[in-house]
Amino acid sequence: MQNVTQLRCVKCGKTYPASPEARTCACGGILDVEYDYDYVRARLTPAALAERPRTMWRYRELLPVEPSTPDTPLRVGWSPLYRADRLAAALGLDRLWIKDDGQNPTASLKDRASALAVAKAGEAGARVIACSSTGNAASSLAGNAAAAGFSTYIFVPSRAPKGKVAQLQIFGATVISVQGSYEETFELSKQAIDRWGWYNRNAAINPYLSEGKKTVTLEILEQLGWCVPDYIALSVGDGCTIAGAWKGLKDLYAAGFIDRLPRLISVQAEGCCPLNRAIATGEPWQPMEENTLADSIAVGVPRNPDKALRAIRESDGVAVNVSDGEILEAMRLLGRTQGVFGEPAGAAGTAGVKKAVELGLIPAGSTVVSIVTGNGLKDVQSGIQAAGEPMRVSPDMDALLAAFAAQDIRP
């Protein structure tokens, strides 16, 4: 890869060649991909981008793949960025945008990482890919791998929502439902991957997957005409997504596309916030219980804490914890003001923006982008909990009028 110089450990600084099979450092640290920015600047230009397909692969010079590696079959990336004036007014902001990554093929941001995993597995000559996941990484891998002809083994905790497990089954994955926590699920998947030599899609081990996730911020800045917002908000679980988002912003800055960096808003659930707690206390992170309905960010033992904490601190970021009630409220707000249906973890970023404004952590005049990381149809039960049940009437006009009167509905 002419665009990639090496991989560097975020803990000890040791460097490694960028082989398709690269994993964590010998010290246990996660690796970062480093680029030749002179090479990138000479080839990745606004004029060049104007001629390219609107998928994540338009940013190939900032992705760790060989020139001969084909784009993956599913259309991943270039999800819509909506100007959210009605929601901004409801939250007390002047300018707000919503990046709806639930519009990706398997309905989550994780498609970006899984597409990169499929590309790198092909480069490595693998035919089987495996991972552990609370749901979205699993379904995104199963779908992207199926389209490209790979087999998958996927480990999910027993609490994974049925909608996400159904996706896995439809995509033909071998699904192992582990009767334990996400931490126990991760450890079992790691043992199985080591035993059978499958290609590892776990984002906290495989250094390339955050590079796929970072394309969400590459897109946001291009869709904003390279005008940098003040804040970008996103939900945080394992830490891989916020780490990737920050890496993308730093890559754009190094490549000369933007002249400053935004601040990140790290949003975690109150019932599971080990990274935000470390930011608040200044102490090392400690494991927590996984006590939240937002299953995608219910990670009590984050696997990418070093990169995530570095991203929040380097960006002078804001750490906000939200209750499950505030997440459900954000789901309703997104739907009723913008027509966007986010799953609980997907709406958590918006819940965090609302709370940050209320607490005075960000000024009302700020320009904010909130990333909705997954679609609400992945967790219909939580959607019903947020929205409530429909009124039920017999097929009779008098019954309808009575129901309207009972709920003070005046057509």
Side-chain angles (χ1 to χ4, degrees):
M1 294 180 287
Q2 290 178 291
N3 58 330
V4 176
T5 58
Q6 60 194 359
L7 307 177
R8 185 183 299 275
C9 175
V10 300
K11 271 190 176 179
C12 71
K14 184 176 179 180
T15 60
Y16 295 84
S19 68
E21 301 87 358
R23 295 295 178 265
T24 53
C25 177
C27 78
I30 298 173
L31 305 181
D32 244 350
V33 180
E34 296 187 346
Y35 293 90
D36 178 346
Y37 292 108
D38 289 334
Y39 179 94
V40 172
R41 279 189 290 268
R43 293 162 177 80
L44 186 64
T45 64
L49 286 170
E51 302 298 321
R52 297 182 181 180
R54 290 188 167 183
T55 72
M56 62 175 273
W57 298 107
R58 66 196 279 104
Y59 307 110
R60 268 184 169 266
E61 289 85 355
L62 283 174
L63 291 173
V65 291
E66 299 289 353
S68 59
T69 299
D71 294 359
T72 48
L74 297 183
R75 188 275 311 149
V76 177
W78 206 257
S79 58
L81 181 71
Y82 299 120
R83 178 156 177 161
D85 290 339
R86 295 184 66 234
L87 181 55
L91 301 187
L93 282 169
D94 288 349
R95 291 174 298 280
L96 175 67
W97 279 265
I98 296 296
K99 176 72 166 170
D100 186 7
D101 241 39
Q103 298 300 311
N104 278 308
T106 74
S108 86
L109 183 149
K110 302 292 180 68
D111 279 325
R112 299 175 184 273
S114 291
L116 212 353
V118 167
K120 297 306 287 186
E123 290 180 4
R127 297 311 308 161
V128 178
I129 313 174
C131 76
S132 64
S133 168
T134 55
N136 282 335
S139 56
S140 71
L141 173 60
N144 280 274
F150 290 83
S151 298
T152 52
Y153 287 80
I154 295 173
F155 297 73
V156 297
S158 56
R159 62 175 166 77
K162 291 182 179 179
K164 297 179 182 181
V165 175
Q167 277 189 300
L168 301 177
Q169 302 284 147
I170 285 291
F171 295 145
T174 298
V175 183
I176 301 95
S177 177
V178 180
Q179 306 306 293
S181 67
Y182 175 69
E183 167 68 6
E184 293 167 321
T185 303
F186 184 96
E187 288 300 329
L188 183 59
S189 77
K190 184 176 181 297
Q191 293 172 35
I193 289 167
D194 290 343
R195 177 170 185 145
W196 285 291
W198 301 326
Y199 190 81
N200 193 330
R201 185 251 177 258
N202 286 320
I205 291 176
N206 188 325
Y208 299 117
L209 302 191
S210 285
E211 299 297 302
K213 290 186 175 187
K214 80 181 183 188
T215 59
V216 70
T217 44
L218 305 185
E219 286 177 16
I220 287 169
L221 269 296
E222 185 179 1
Q223 289 170 322
L224 290 176
W226 311 112
C227 294
V228 181
D230 298 312
Y231 297 90
I232 295 179
L234 63 166
S235 57
V236 176
D238 238 347
C240 298
T241 299
I242 195 167
W246 183 239
K247 178 64 159 46
L249 294 165
K250 291 202 298 183
D251 282 343
L252 286 179
Y253 183 79
F257 277 88
I258 56 177
D259 58 5
R260 67 182 181 92
L261 292 164
R263 297 173 67 187
L264 300 178
I265 302 175
S266 168
V267 185
Q268 293 206 279
E270 285 180 355
C272 191
C273 56
L275 295 176
N276 279 0
R277 186 172 63 178
I279 292 293
T281 63
E283 298 177 357
W285 70 271
Q286 298 293 328
M288 289 188 70
E289 295 293 323
E290 298 170 354
N291 185 23
T292 174
L293 61 78
D295 66 284
S296 294
I297 55 172
V299 182
V301 182
R303 289 290 174 170
N304 203 346
D306 296 325
K307 280 190 182 182
L309 292 171
R310 184 180 67 175
I312 300 166
R313 288 170 175 145
E314 282 185 356
S315 75
D316 188 23
V318 176
V320 184
N321 299 325
V322 292
S323 68
D324 283 358
E326 288 167 330
I327 290 172
L328 294 172
E329 181 185 1
M331 291 174 67
R332 291 190 292 271
L333 272 173
L334 276 167
R336 294 170 188 183
T337 63
Q338 298 303 135
V340 171
F341 188 13
E343 66 168 323
T350 302
V353 172
K354 182 176 186 294
K355 193 162 189 177
V357 174
E358 290 170 350
L359 294 175
L361 298 176
I362 63 175
S366 303
T367 298
V368 181
V369 177
S370 183
I371 302 173
V372 176
T373 53
N375 191 280
L377 291 173
K378 285 175 162 287
D379 186 356
V380 173
Q381 202 57 45
S382 291
I384 293 171
Q385 188 176 347
E389 296 281 354
M391 68 175 74
R392 291 178 171 84
V393 301
S394 60
D396 176 82
M397 179 56 73
D398 288 339
L400 178 62
L401 293 173
F404 277 6
Q407 297 190 30
D408 197 27
I409 296 173
R410 303 175 183 181

